Amino acid sequence: MDEQIPSAFVFSNRTIGLILPILKMKRLGVLTSGGDAPGMNAAIRAVVRTAAFHGKQAVGIRKGFQGLIDGECMELNARSVRNILNQGGTFLKSARCAQFRNAEGRKKAFQQIEKAEIDALVVIGGNGSFTGAHLLHKEFGLPVIGIPGTIDNDLFGTDYTLGYDSATNVVVECIDKIRDTASSHNRLFFVEVMGRDTGFIALRTAVATGALDVVLPEKNSSMDELISEVEKSFANRKTSNIIITAEGNHLGNTYDISKKIVERFPHIDTKVTILGHLQRGGAPSCMDRILASKLGVSAVEAVLEGKSDVMCGVENQDVTFTPLEKAISQKVELNMDLLRISRILAT
Ligand code: F6P
């Protein structure tokens, strides 16, 4: 008589295809790279604890790709990441690594990956970090997954990157304080915010602080336009004004922009504040902690299911996966309607 196989033990090829990579992967590497961003620690915690939850060993790599080349790997368990959810910066440390840009550097890194028996790598970072992760996958077949971590919010395939919300909250807090002096002394303040190539921080905070104008890398503003906004503010009998400049704007250095305004309006008391790295520090906001937790869990589960060479992001509240090459190369558009809103409300 034929023995019947209980249906509970009959697996389709698809199920076997899904289960095999999960069983094969034993050790998951995680690193932070590029500029630090609030929420990176929360993401590391989520990656390590999700790996542990699924019975995998997490391996932390210190100092980004530089640490990978130098073999700075350490095993992490759920307890190793206690009390970091609320910490700014990254306890794994970060670096911008020139050596990783050449093939020789990447080969050394891969040798360390083999030595540490890392089966897949989670990279938390921005554009440059994802370029590195993509090359590791392309050149050595290593499964990689990216979690967007940069205050600039300039990655395609996610509505928000880790750190963007926290950084903009810092900017808003600082400008609110500057506003007190601007209004007490009838001054015009230029406030420079971060954003080498994009004006996400500048535009969002312009609306949130009621700035008179904002100078963005994405827009070819002219000095004449800026002068006309200042003239309008006089006509509207405004006494204090804030103009936000993104560091990568087309008009150039914020001190030079301010100088040109002073030449045109010598009677205005004008000051410049460069917020700089203040914006990158401090505890992550509630939104960044939740984003980091969501993306950390999803990234690990995705890589265990066999996804690779993709960035795990969030679009319209849903977790989505975008090929790393696309996340890096496709331009993220600023919502220019916010500029219109900002100008209407600045009158
Ligand atoms: O990419 C994030 C960012 O903070 C940019 O806004 C800024 O231009 C850059 O990093 C500064 O980098 P660093 O801290 O290496 O000088």
Side-chain angles (χ1 to χ4, degrees):
M1 200 174 71
D2 280 352
E3 249 182 49
Q4 288 260 310
I5 302 170
S7 61
F9 298 109
V10 178
F11 297 114
S12 69
N13 283 345
R14 186 172 176 276
T15 314
I16 292 168
L18 285 174
I19 291 171
L20 271 184
I22 303 179
L23 294 179
K24 260 184 20 203
M25 270 186 206
K26 292 193 164 46
R27 290 165 69 83
L28 287 185
V30 57
L31 62 81
T32 47
S33 155
D36 63 303
M40 279 185 164
N41 274 327
I44 298 167
R45 169 182 177 268
V47 167
V48 171
R49 291 199 173 167
T50 310
F53 179 83
H54 289 288
K56 311 296 173 189
Q57 176 65 58
V59 180
I61 296 137
R62 281 162 57 84
K63 300 187 205 139
F65 289 117
Q66 189 57 55
L68 192 54
I69 291 171
D70 299 337
E72 293 201 43
C73 305
M74 55 183 172
E75 290 189 352
L76 299 173
N77 61 37
R79 294 284 68 73
S80 329
V81 289
R82 69 178 150 232
N83 297 337
I84 63 165
L85 172 68
N86 56 343
Q87 303 285 318
T90 157
F91 96 107
L92 282 179
K93 299 192 181 288
S94 193
R96 300 192 195 273
C97 177
Q99 218 185 332
F100 203 75
R101 291 201 195 112
N102 61 60
E104 195 49 41
R106 291 195 293 276
K107 195 169 153 204
K108 277 191 195 156
F110 187 67
Q111 283 164 353
Q112 296 290 358
I113 284 176
E114 287 186 306
K115 198 168 153 201
E117 297 178 352
I118 291 171
D119 300 309
L121 183 64
V122 181
V123 173
I124 307 168
N127 243 292
S129 317
F130 288 174
T131 307
H134 171 64
L135 288 173
L136 268 183
H137 173 78
K138 196 168 148 191
E139 292 169 3
F140 306 100
L142 180 75
V144 294
I145 191 150
I147 294 180
T150 162
I151 63 164
D152 289 350
N153 205 40
D154 59 347
L155 286 163
F156 183 84
T158 189
D159 294 340
Y160 297 101
T161 57
L162 294 181
Y164 172 59
D165 184 65
S166 307
T168 51
N169 286 339
V170 170
V171 172
V172 167
E173 196 183 329
C174 291
I175 295 182
D176 285 350
K177 288 181 178 165
I178 290 170
R179 174 73 75 180
D180 289 346
T181 301
S183 98
S184 303
H185 290 264
N186 288 357
R187 283 180 182 167
L188 164 64
F189 270 86
F190 283 90
V191 182
E192 184 183 294
V193 299
M194 276 187 166
R196 208 175 9 209
D197 306 310
T198 81
F200 276 94
I201 296 176
L203 186 53
R204 191 185 209 207
T205 57
V207 177
T209 60
L212 173 67
D213 205 1
V214 52
V215 192
L216 304 163
E218 285 84 349
K219 193 174 176 293
N220 253 326
S221 311
S222 67
M223 269 319 288
D224 287 345
E225 256 181 85
L226 209 55
I227 287 169
S228 123
E229 289 304 318
V230 176
E231 274 165 349
K232 259 192 254 165
S233 113
F234 290 143
N236 291 334
R237 288 187 292 161
K238 291 186 80 170
T239 51
S240 74
N241 282 306
I242 309 280
I243 294 177
I244 299 179
T245 59
E247 59 177 341
N249 79 79
H250 288 291
L251 292 179
N253 184 298
T254 305
Y255 284 102
D256 293 341
I257 300 175
S258 156
K259 221 187 263 170
K260 285 181 191 148
I261 291 288
V262 174
E263 279 163 14
R264 178 70 179 73
F265 306 102
H267 61 285
I268 307 185
D269 191 0
T270 307
K271 300 279 177 194
V272 174
T273 303
I274 313 274
L275 292 181
H277 289 81
L278 259 182
Q279 295 158 87
R280 285 222 310 244
S285 65
C286 176
M287 180 175 148
D288 273 328
R289 294 179 200 197
I290 290 169
L291 183 66
S293 305
K294 205 167 169 176
L295 295 184
V297 172
S298 305
V300 170
E301 290 187 339
V303 86
L304 291 179
E305 281 165 14
K307 280 202 175 60
S308 178
D309 202 21
V310 290
M311 179 193 79
C312 175
V314 70
E315 294 173 290
N316 299 322
Q317 313 270 356
D318 290 330
V319 171
T320 57
F321 298 92
T322 305
L324 284 178
E325 244 187 326
K326 200 170 171 187
I328 304 158
S329 60
Q330 211 129 315
K331 182 101 187 97
V332 202
E333 297 296 333
L334 267 189
N335 176 0
M336 283 301 180
D337 199 41
L338 275 185
L339 181 59
R340 195 179 72 85
I341 290 167
S342 164
R343 284 188 168 161
I344 291 173
L345 300 180
T347 50

